[in-house]
């Protein structure tokens, strides 16, 4: 199935919402990648890191470098604006899920 721009946009919003929700607790990219996969949001680094940079540029995420370990890591955290966006996206998703459930309930 081809990815229409509307379908891709919906997928990106769902993926962004998952990142924003998980990064309410600070985390670094690779750890987030593993956690997303564990929760059923399989993706790769080539998708995740550009999204993290875009969310940071839009001020939905903040970041800081941790250089105390042998390998420096950039830690991300959801900003106040990101929390509001995540809450809105989650409510939209829940409303859509409820609407879809009424369709499947009618078939049974």
């Amino acid at each position: 199935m081809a990815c229409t721009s509307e379908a891709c946009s919906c997928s990106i919003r769902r993926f962004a919402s998952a990142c924003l929700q998980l990064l309410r607790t600070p985390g670094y990219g690779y750890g987030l990648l593993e956690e997303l996969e564990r929760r059923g949001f399989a993706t790769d680094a080539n998708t995740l890191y550009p999204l993290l940079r875009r969310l940071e540029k839009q001020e939905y995420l903040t970041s800081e470098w941790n250089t105390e370990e042998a390998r420096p890591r950039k830690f991300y955290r959801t900003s106040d604006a990101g929390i509001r966006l995540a809450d809105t996206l989650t409510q939209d998703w829940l409303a859509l899920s409820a609407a879809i459930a009424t369709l499947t309930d009618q078939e049974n």
Side-chain angles (χ1 to χ4, degrees):
M1 179 169 128
C3 181
T4 65
S5 64
E6 187 175 323
C8 287
S9 177
C10 182
S11 177
I12 290 168
R13 283 193 309 265
R14 185 174 61 237
F15 185 60
S17 177
C19 291
L20 292 169
Q21 292 290 3
L22 289 172
L23 289 172
R24 288 177 188 236
T25 302
Y28 61 98
Y30 185 74
L32 178 62
L33 194 63
E34 289 180 327
E35 186 64 19
L36 286 166
E37 185 170 337
R38 189 179 74 74
R39 293 178 182 245
F41 291 89
T43 190
D44 61 35
N46 293 326
T47 301
L48 177 63
Y49 289 105
L51 175 65
L52 292 175
R53 285 191 297 272
R54 186 172 42 217
L55 290 171
E56 184 178 17
K57 184 177 180 181
Q58 294 171 334
E59 299 184 354
Y60 295 124
L61 289 177
T62 61
S63 69
E64 62 182 55
W65 284 96
N66 178 347
T67 57
E68 295 174 6
E69 298 178 23
R71 203 170 131 207
R73 292 182 176 175
K74 190 173 187 179
F75 277 77
Y76 296 92
R77 174 183 220 123
T78 305
S79 67
D80 290 342
I83 289 170
R84 288 190 298 275
L85 177 61
D87 290 345
T88 298
L89 292 172
T90 299
Q91 290 305 312
D92 291 348
W93 187 256
L94 291 172
L96 178 60
S97 295
I100 291 171
T102 66
L103 296 173
T104 56
D105 288 345
Q106 290 175 358
E107 292 178 9
N108 293 327

